Amino acid sequence: MLAKTVRIVPQARAGIVERFGKYKGTLPAGLNIVVPFIDKVRYLIDLREQVVSFPPQPVITEDNLVVSIDTVIYFQVTDPVAATYEIANYIQAIEQLTMTTLRNIVGGMDLEETLTSRDSINTGLRGVLDEATGKWGIRVNRVELKGIDPPPSIKDAMEKQMRADRDKRALILSAEGQRQSAILTAEGNKQSQILNAEGDRESQILRAQADREAAILRAQGEGQAIQTVFQAIHDGQPDQSLLAYQYLQMMPKIAEGSANKVWVIPSEITKAMEGLGSSIHEIAGIPRDASPRKRVDMGPSEPQLPRGSDDDGTSATNEAVQRAIAEAEIAASPGKLRPTTSEGTPGSDGPLGLGDTGDPEAPAGQ
């Protein structure tokens, strides 16, 4: 009697009490007292959130492909009385309702959309199930698609497509890399060629400027040398004897060489020899005027001798030069022609020494 009177209901449970087969009340969690033999606790309803996983079900998509979809339902009993008396087996009812709703939703999608639209399918299932199970005292909290399995042939085709897509992207990336590499290489070659061309142009310009300056300096040097020689010749007042002596000096050079068996003497040399033998004749081209002629400005006519410590302003090393100048002045005076030698000393009767010819107009030294 005591055991049938006192009933203990666990936490998060609800007991449905019937009296003579009719609903009497709901026992909450804890200690409860019922009338023995009259009241009877018929059902204990679990009020916690429950998870039910349904086995895979075949579903036909819009493009006539059969896929297997298994779902997971998260629900909770909110009204124990409705869950007991409004539906005989609410779990089976939820399963069937889930399958029919899933076929309805997936039937309007193709395979690609089905595989990529899990969120929209879950949202549609939850809305339909929550509306249908509300009168059963059940609230559907969440619906999840645990797996979508297409046929094996479709899997193979999808794998091939995925592999082809990845190969395509790999080829595209490789081609883009090669394109960028070729562009960068071409730009580098272009910059290198431009820099090389600029360097060649600048080097050619500098080389041309250097050649031009060298040619100018060389020409200036040659011009100055020619002017110096020309001025020295005119300042030295060359006469017939000097030219004849120069011809005689050139004759051994003409005969140089082991292969020179026969050589021709120019006619000018014979004329020079005639001038050596007689001071009466004159070689054409020797000017009568023995005064120095200055064609270009070569500086002061008198030599600038360095100053020494002597009283007369000349050093001991320049005495020979002074003597040569004095002898040249004596030889240039008219009526005082003196014989000279090839060594340049007066008074000797050498082969080049010439005496007084008696011609007052002849240059000095003839």
Side-chain angles (χ1 to χ4, degrees), residues 292-320:
R293 299 177 181 179
K294 295 183 179 180
R295 302 296 178 87
V296 293
D297 187 8
M298 297 300 295
S301 59
E302 297 295 333
Q304 298 294 326
L305 300 178
R307 296 290 181 179
S309 60
D310 299 338
D311 296 336
D312 56 356
T314 61
S315 61
T317 57
N318 297 323
E319 291 180 358

Side-chain angles (χ1 to χ4, degrees), residues 192-260:
S192 175
Q193 293 177 1
I194 291 174
L195 294 177
N196 291 333
E198 291 179 355
D200 294 340
R201 181 175 66 88
E202 293 178 0
S203 64
Q204 291 178 2
I205 291 173
L206 294 177
R207 193 178 298 110
Q209 291 178 353
D211 295 340
R212 171 178 172 271
E213 294 178 359
I216 292 174
L217 293 177
R218 194 179 300 109
Q220 290 178 354
E222 293 177 356
Q224 291 178 1
I226 293 173
Q227 291 177 1
T228 302
V229 173
F230 188 73
Q231 186 66 53
I233 292 173
H234 284 75
D235 291 343
Q237 300 179 3
D239 55 3
Q240 179 182 357
S241 300
L242 177 61
L243 294 178
Y245 181 66
Q246 292 293 330
Y247 277 122
L248 289 177
Q249 285 183 339
M250 291 298 298
M251 289 176 64
K253 294 183 179 180
I254 295 175
E256 286 181 356
S258 59
N260 293 334

Side-chain angles (χ1 to χ4, degrees), residues 333-346:
S333 61
K336 294 181 180 181
L337 297 176
R338 299 172 61 185
T340 59
T341 64
S342 61
E343 298 295 329
T345 58

